[in-house]
Amino acid sequence: MHRCRLHVLGASGSGTTTLGRAVADAWSVPHADADDYFWVPTDPPFTIKRTPAERLALMDHMFAPRDAWVLSGAMTGWGEQIVETCSAIVFLTLDPDVRMSRLRERESRRREGGAMDDDAWRDFRDWARSYDDPSFTGRSRHQHEAWLAARSQPVLRLDAARTVTELRDEVLAWEPS
């Protein structure tokens, strides 16, 4: 795959940010993570959301006008105007138990560095666990699959159980039609 505007998404804990950074580094292009635009930086983190208009304005200012970049994270419901400019999409899937284990490990690392909101972590964990439940009305695999089916861009589906190097190399070797 040649340098382009690439969107990498999947469930929380599936490795979208890690893969996004690896592809962006390989291409020497900017990497952006949707969470950095969705949330206002706070301590503890992830407590105040930006409005959709604020998120999009910040993205337009920071990276969207460039010819090539990698954007990780889901933007369904608020980021269509950015996603429409993407050349291709990578969708990561991962066994739910492995994904939840990764999220617990990530939370442990975050707690080492400062304040955390225990109630917010519990709510996030419950929300993230619901991703694979087809009846869940929030951001879910079912919602992502429907959204992907409506996309005009080519989609590469990858099992995120492999190493980041293997995943990155598969993206770099991909020749979307």
Side-chain angles (χ1 to χ4, degrees):
M1 171 175 249
H2 301 287
R3 292 168 35 135
C4 67
R5 293 175 174 180
L6 180 67
H7 183 43
V8 180
L9 77 147
S12 293
S14 64
T16 61
T17 302
T18 303
L19 179 59
R21 281 189 191 125
V23 173
D25 288 348
W27 285 346
S28 297
V29 300
H31 169 256
D33 189 81
D35 278 350
D36 294 335
Y37 297 88
F38 191 91
W39 298 100
V40 173
T42 56
D43 187 21
F46 313 114
T47 56
I48 302 172
K49 298 175 185 176
R50 288 188 175 96
T51 67
E54 291 170 325
R55 297 171 208 157
L56 294 170
L58 192 54
M59 290 174 141
D60 280 338
H61 176 72
M62 297 298 293
F63 74 89
R66 297 173 186 249
D67 291 334
W69 38 258
V70 179
L71 171 64
S72 57
M75 297 179 39
T76 49
W78 65 270
E80 288 300 314
Q81 76 183 52
I82 299 293
V83 175
E84 286 295 326
T85 69
C86 293
S87 305
I89 298 171
V90 173
F91 181 55
L92 296 180
T93 59
L94 186 62
D95 175 88
D97 292 334
V98 175
R99 198 170 50 74
M100 294 307 297
S101 176
R102 285 183 181 181
L103 288 173
R104 283 189 296 277
E105 289 171 18
R106 183 174 78 185
E107 178 68 8
S108 292
R109 285 191 307 273
R110 285 183 177 164
R111 285 180 180 268
E112 291 173 4
M116 290 303 292
D117 182 328
D118 288 331
D119 292 335
W121 161 241
R122 186 181 55 253
D123 291 346
F124 171 76
R125 185 188 60 226
D126 292 345
W127 171 83
R129 189 177 292 127
S130 298
Y131 179 82
D132 291 288
D133 178 355
S135 65
F136 183 58
T137 57
R139 190 176 84 189
S140 66
R141 174 124 186 216
H142 177 75
Q143 181 191 59
H144 277 163
E145 292 288 359
W147 182 83
L148 288 165
R151 306 303 320 156
S152 61
Q153 299 100 326
V155 176
L156 176 63
R157 295 167 178 273
L158 298 173
D159 180 350
R162 295 182 298 156
T163 69
V164 69
T165 301
E166 292 169 325
L167 295 168
R168 181 205 61 207
D169 290 350
E170 188 160 346
V171 172
L172 297 177
W174 182 35
E175 295 292 337
S177 52

